[in-house]
Structures are given as structure tokens and as C-alpha cells.
């Protein structure tokens, strides 16, 4: 599941480069596109290492800036959002650093973005938006990912973090993405991951201790 999105981006970029090559239109954007491919490949390589190390209890946490992690992750995700006609709004406030595993937090953010994108593509609102916010409340750093896809059915909202629970069908989801995200945030980082319907969509909220 975590490989599917970067592979989609890689496929999209390589198709574009192939078309430009066939039309003899390779220009200065070529280097930029290659850099994007390399970023995606590095992410996939890091994902393999994440799975190898996931249950190792002695891994040390890193002190990182939450806003920096969000921007790195968003940069990898933006090409597929743009192609899907989804506007991404970022509201990032400078906050003190937090202690996390950077790659694991990136996996969580990507999963929340992917779920928001899937909801928007399914519900097809006229204006598709995802808002990602970083801020601070009391002694916690707050990260929120909110869409405008109409929210989560009240009958299932309390179950979406359960293992193997999915609304996407067997071909499109495993039912483990949100479960693993909650496990990472709450067991590995001693934080909290929650969701509520807000305004015209679902708002996933991560709280991490400073």
C-alpha cells in the first residue's frame, strides 16, 4: 500500500519524459523530472528499511522540525495531487522540534494524504481541496490533514482505525493504513491520532508531545 503512491508518481513522470523524447522536446525540465524520480526512489528504498526496523524497540528517536517533515513529504505527493485536480493548502507555523522517527512520520502523513485524495476522487466535489496545518497547543505539536469530501459516515467513523477495516474494497485497500498510522503515532511517538467530521470533510489530527 505504501509503495503504490510513489510508483504512480514514477510512472506518471516517466510517461511524460517518454512523450517529450518522442517529440524531441527534452528541455531544462528534464533534470528537474529526474530529480523527482530520484526522490521517489529514495523514499521507496527507505520504506523497505522502515519495514525491516519496524519492530526494533531500541531505535532512537530524532529531533526534527514538524514543518520540515511535512514539506518534504508534500513535495513528493504534489505531482499526483496536481494531476488529480486537487488543490493543496498549507498552513505551517514554526514550532519547537519533536522527537520522532522521521521516515515513520512521513509514512503516516502520506497515508493521510492518500486517504484524503481517495475520498475526493470518490465523492467528486466541484472544488477538491486538502488542507494540511501545523501548529502548537499547550505542550503538543499539532498536525492536521483535512479534506472537503463530505466527511465520514457516522456509523463507521469509530471503526476506521480498526485493523482490516476498509471502505475501499479488497483491490484498493488493506484496512491496515490507518491502523498502522495510529500504532506509529501512539505507540512509537506517545502521541495521539484522531479524526472528526469538520466543516465539509474529515479532519485527521495528530498530536505529538514537544
Amino acid at each position: 500500500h505504501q509503495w503504490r503512491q510513489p510508483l504512480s508518481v514514477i510512472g506518471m513522470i516517466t510517461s511524460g519524459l517518454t512523450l517529450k523524447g518522442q517529440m524531441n522536446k527534452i528541455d531544462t525540465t528534464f533534470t528537474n523530472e529526474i530529480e523527482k524520480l530520484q526522490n521517489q526512489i529514495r523514499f521507496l528504498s527507505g520504506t523497505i528499511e522502515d519495514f525491516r526496523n519496524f519492530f526494533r524497540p531500541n531505535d532512537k528517536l530524532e529531533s526534527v522540525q514538524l514543518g520540515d517533515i511535512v514539506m518534504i513529504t508534500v513535495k513528493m505527493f504534489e505531482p499526483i495531487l496536481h494531476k488529480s485536480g486537487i488543490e493543496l493548502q498549507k498552513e505551517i507555523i514554526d514550532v519547537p522540534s519533536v522527537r520522532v522517527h522521521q521516515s515513520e512520520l512521513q509514512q503516516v502523513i502520506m497515508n493521510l494524504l492518500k486517504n484524503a485524495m481517495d475520498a475526493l476522487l470518490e465523492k467528486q466535489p466541484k472544488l477538491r481541496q486538502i488542507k494540511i496545518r501545523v501548529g502548537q497547543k499547550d505542550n503538543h505539536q499539532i498536525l492536521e490533514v483535512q479534506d472537503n469530501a463530505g466527511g465520514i459516515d457516522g456509523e463507521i467513523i469509530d471503526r476506521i482505525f480498526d485493523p482490516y477495516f476498509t471502505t475501499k474494497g479488497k483491490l484498493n485497500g488493506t484496512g491496515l493504513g490507518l491502523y498502522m498510522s495510529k500504532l506509529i503515532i501512539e505507540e512509537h511517538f506517545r502521541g495521539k491520532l484522531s479524526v472528526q467530521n469538520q466543516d465539509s470533510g474529515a479532519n485527521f489530527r495528530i498530536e505529538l508531545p514537544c
Side-chain angles (χ1 to χ4, degrees):
H1 176 72
Q2 298 298 74
W3 272 55
R4 190 172 296 149
Q5 198 62 41
L7 287 174
S8 296
V9 176
I10 289 172
M12 183 177 66
I13 293 172
T14 53
S15 295
L17 290 175
T18 300
L19 181 61
K20 286 183 179 180
Q22 292 170 348
M23 299 174 66
N24 294 319
K25 289 187 176 181
I26 295 296
D27 51 27
T28 55
T29 62
F30 183 82
T31 302
N32 293 333
E33 297 301 297
I34 292 297
E35 182 182 356
K36 291 178 184 177
L37 285 174
Q38 291 172 336
N39 288 338
Q40 297 290 337
I41 291 168
R42 280 193 289 268
F43 177 79
L44 291 173
S45 178
T47 301
I48 295 174
E49 196 65 21
D50 290 343
F51 284 125
R52 290 181 59 191
N53 296 332
F54 190 82
F55 292 106
R56 291 172 60 184
N58 295 324
D59 282 353
K60 294 182 179 179
L61 301 179
E62 311 165 71
S63 182
V64 300
Q65 291 291 328
L66 189 54
D68 291 345
I69 304 304
V70 168
M71 293 304 297
I72 292 170
T73 310
V74 163
K75 186 176 181 180
M76 292 190 297
F77 214 85
E78 280 183 324
I80 196 73
L81 292 177
H82 179 73
K83 184 181 180 182
S84 302
I86 297 173
E87 176 189 355
L88 181 64
Q89 298 181 353
K90 301 179 286 288
E91 301 174 11
I92 298 178
I93 299 173
D94 288 335
V95 294
S97 59
V98 292
R99 294 184 60 77
V100 296
H101 297 293
Q102 177 173 329
S103 57
E104 288 188 1
L105 182 56
Q106 284 184 257
Q107 297 281 358
V108 172
I109 297 170
M110 283 198 71
N111 189 53
L112 297 182
L113 287 171
K114 177 65 165 60
N115 284 348
M117 186 186 77
D118 288 346
L120 289 166
L121 295 180
E122 177 186 353
K123 301 295 180 61
Q124 293 286 330
K126 186 175 181 179
L127 178 63
R128 305 172 191 172
Q129 290 181 327
I130 296 176
K131 296 179 181 179
I132 185 163
R133 296 181 288 264
V134 172
Q136 182 175 356
K137 184 176 181 180
D138 300 327
N139 60 341
H140 284 82
Q141 309 301 327
I142 308 297
L143 191 161
E144 295 181 325
V145 177
Q146 182 178 353
D147 60 62
N148 66 329
I152 302 171
D153 191 324
E155 294 184 0
I156 66 170
I157 195 168
D158 292 332
R159 300 170 56 200
I160 62 171
F161 293 112
D162 292 349
Y164 304 108
F165 179 80
T166 180
T167 61
K168 300 178 183 179
K170 292 182 179 179
L171 294 178
N172 297 314
T174 62
L176 287 173
L178 287 176
Y179 168 73
M180 295 296 284
S181 295
K182 194 173 182 67
L183 180 66
I184 289 170
I185 296 300
E186 299 191 355
E187 298 296 327
H188 291 200
F189 304 158
R190 299 295 184 259
K192 181 180 180 182
L193 174 58
S194 60
V195 64
Q196 64 177 354
N197 288 325
Q198 181 174 318
D199 299 329
S200 57
N203 184 37
F204 285 85
R205 179 184 176 96
I206 296 172
E207 301 176 41
L208 296 171
C210 297

